Amino acid sequence: MTAPDPVLLTPGPLTTSPQTKAAMLRDWGSWDSAFNALTASVCADIVDVVHAADTHVCIPLQGSGTFAVEAALGSFVPRRSKTLVPSNGAYCLRIARILSYLGREFVVLDHPESQAIDPQRIDAALREDADITHVAQVHCETGTGVLNPLPQIAGIVAAHGRRLVVDAMSSFGALPIDLRTMPVDALIAASGKCLEGVPGMGFVVARRTVVESAAGCAHSLALDLHDQWTYLQKTGQWRFTPPTHVVAALRAAIDQFTAEGGQPARLARYTEHCSVLVDGMRSLGFETFIGDDVQAPIIVTFHAPPDPAYDFAEFYRRMRARGFVIYPGKLTTVETFRVGCIGALRSADIRRAVDAIAATVREMGIEVMAPTSLSNLAG
Ligand SMILES: *Cc1c(COP(=O)(O)O)cnc(C)c1O
């Protein structure tokens, strides 16, 4: 009756392991002490992933990742403030959009989408504008796959005495983040990304002193992280209905993360996926949108074939029929598509995905794979 699950080559939801799925086969009462212990253990492990047990706390929040980003900005960026948003893509601009909904003053520091954020430009912006109180930075810009230089950015923001909020949604658990050496007020991620849980909860690893002084800052009851934290401290419970099955799945996913060897092992596996993918696609004639020097091993953006036979919807449909789910591009100016490297996969899955892409382009009669091969033909 049911076909096998497709391989999700998307940056969340992503392919989860059988153990993670199995962890959702029981019901939990939100008042039950066993569930409170589950929440506490997940939060403690999350803080440990970024080595922050001495300074930071983990505040879980119901909803997708964006809910946690909005909650962190609303709860920890005061109403009288000015936030610098260095931007090189869609998720950076989402931060700006959230700040605008919240009525918090901000300024966008625009970069090309194919380049990493330049810490020197942040340095200059902070030097020039003494009114800037906060910087809100995306670590891995999932819109393209560009890795931004977070340690350098954090150093500069701290040197200027400003506060840093980081959207580490697609990097948390995969890329090294050490809050002992990197000054960050709030680091935001979610269950359904590199920890390989199912989607449904975000979390914010926030500096304890920042959380303690955040009473009354939030614009929203449901997204008030100070209130969520205070209630959790007092009762061991979430305010409002918790995503019980999501928490149980995340517990199982973190156990597998630890057994695999934690963040370094996850990075090694994703790096292998990324190189198998990029090498395979290049051998078919595809071109990546960004340079290898700024590529995070999370998601890869490829130029769409400039061949009249190419059509993303049709390409997607045929890939889906072969058992693979790919992702549309998120750029406004250039036509692209994206393939994720994350999830409970092995490099053999990525090899099979490249083979499926090869078969699909043959079937669709696509001959020109990349913009440069088109200009070579024209020249
Ligand atoms: C996935 C992601 C988010 C959150 O997206 P949701 O669809 O709300 O889960 C935010 N920022 C980045 C960088 C992401 O990769």
Side-chain angles (χ1 to χ4, degrees), residues 1 29 55 110 165 217 359 361:
M1 192 183 88
T55 47
D110 223 358
V165 175
C217 181
V361 295

Side-chain angles (χ1 to χ4, degrees), residues 11 64-66 91 94 138 140 142 167 169-170 193:
S64 88
T66 305
Y91 289 94
R94 186 177 294 176
V138 172
C140 169
T142 321
D167 172 352
M169 204 71 64
S170 63
K193 301 257 177 160

Side-chain angles (χ1 to χ4, degrees), residues 291-314:
D292 294 351
D293 55 332
V294 293
Q295 176 72 61
I298 303 295
I299 187 164
V300 182
T301 301
F302 294 99
H303 283 281
D307 189 304
Y310 174 80
D311 168 65
F312 178 77
E314 185 58 20

Side-chain angles (χ1 to χ4, degrees), residues 237-285:
Q237 295 168 17
W238 300 53
R239 292 176 315 161
F240 321 135
T241 305
T244 47
H245 297 72
V246 176
V247 179
L250 185 56
R251 178 64 269 157
I254 293 174
D255 289 342
Q256 294 158 74
F257 170 81
T258 307
E260 186 180 359
Q263 174 270 320
R266 192 132 301 183
L267 178 62
R269 181 159 57 83
Y270 291 171
T271 300
E272 167 80 6
H273 293 174
C274 186
S275 64
V276 167
L277 174 67
V278 169
D279 292 351
M281 291 295 278
R282 283 185 180 147
S283 74
L284 296 177

Side-chain angles (χ1 to χ4, degrees), residues 55-366:
T55 47
H56 290 64
V57 298
C58 171
I59 312 171
L61 185 74
Q62 300 90 332
S64 88
T66 305
F67 289 65
V69 177
E70 184 158 333
L73 293 170
S75 301
F76 304 137
V77 176
R79 294 173 194 219
R80 291 172 64 98
S81 59
K82 183 173 181 181
T83 301
L84 181 73
V85 185
S87 172
N88 58 346
Y91 289 94
C92 299
L93 290 176
R94 186 177 294 176
I95 288 179
R97 220 167 148 220
I98 291 170
L99 289 168
S100 132
Y101 266 76
L102 298 181
R104 305 289 201 269
E105 198 183 337
F106 66 93
V107 53
V108 173
L109 184 62
D110 223 358
H111 287 61
E113 282 181 309
S114 59
Q115 318 250 298
I117 297 297
D118 178 358
Q120 295 317 314
R121 289 190 57 202
I122 296 179
D123 187 47
L126 297 181
R127 211 175 284 284
E128 274 162 29
D129 189 346
D131 291 345
I132 294 172
T133 54
H134 289 69
V135 176
Q137 182 64 63
V138 172
H139 188 196
C140 169
E141 174 43 77
T142 321
T144 52
V146 171
L147 180 62
N148 289 319
L150 190 56
Q152 289 85 332
I153 293 169
I156 283 169
V157 174
H160 284 278
R162 320 296 170 87
R163 324 298 310 183
L164 180 62
V165 175
V166 177
D167 172 352
M169 204 71 64
S170 63
S171 56
F172 191 97
L175 291 161
I177 298 174
D178 189 338
L179 296 190
R180 289 171 304 191
T181 55
M182 217 164 54
V184 172
D185 273 5
L187 188 81
I188 309 146
S191 53
K193 301 257 177 160
C194 298
L195 290 176
E196 299 183 357
V198 302
M201 66 172 271
F203 52 83
V204 181
V205 177
R207 195 184 295 282
R208 184 185 287 274
T209 52
V210 169
V211 179
E212 284 166 353
S213 60
C217 181
H219 57 293
S220 151
L221 170 67
L223 300 182
D224 185 343
L225 292 180
H226 176 267
D227 203 41
Q228 179 90 327
W229 165 244
T230 306
Y231 190 80
L232 195 62
Q233 285 293 95
K234 214 165 48 197
T235 63
Q237 295 168 17
W238 300 53
R239 292 176 315 161
F240 321 135
T241 305
T244 47
H245 297 72
V246 176
V247 179
L250 185 56
R251 178 64 269 157
I254 293 174
D255 289 342
Q256 294 158 74
F257 170 81
T258 307
E260 186 180 359
Q263 174 270 320
R266 192 132 301 183
L267 178 62
R269 181 159 57 83
Y270 291 171
T271 300
E272 167 80 6
H273 293 174
C274 186
S275 64
V276 167
L277 174 67
V278 169
D279 292 351
M281 291 295 278
R282 283 185 180 147
S283 74
L284 296 177
F286 283 93
E287 232 167 63
T288 55
F289 174 69
I290 62 174
D292 294 351
D293 55 332
V294 293
Q295 176 72 61
I298 303 295
I299 187 164
V300 182
T301 301
F302 294 99
H303 283 281
D307 189 304
Y310 174 80
D311 168 65
F312 178 77
E314 185 58 20
F315 186 59
Y316 177 94
R317 195 187 63 72
R318 288 171 188 262
M319 283 297 290
R320 177 66 183 81
R322 289 188 154 84
F324 298 93
V325 172
I326 58 169
Y327 218 47
K330 218 180 172 85
L331 301 172
T332 43
T333 47
V334 192
E335 215 199 324
T336 56
F337 65 90
R338 290 178 291 166
V339 183
C341 309
I342 64 180
L345 306 170
R346 323 203 137 269
S347 48
D349 298 309
I350 307 291
R351 263 184 216 104
R352 288 195 301 114
V354 173
D355 290 346
I357 289 173
T360 302
V361 295
R362 256 197 320 274
E363 197 175 81
M364 289 176 71
I366 299 166

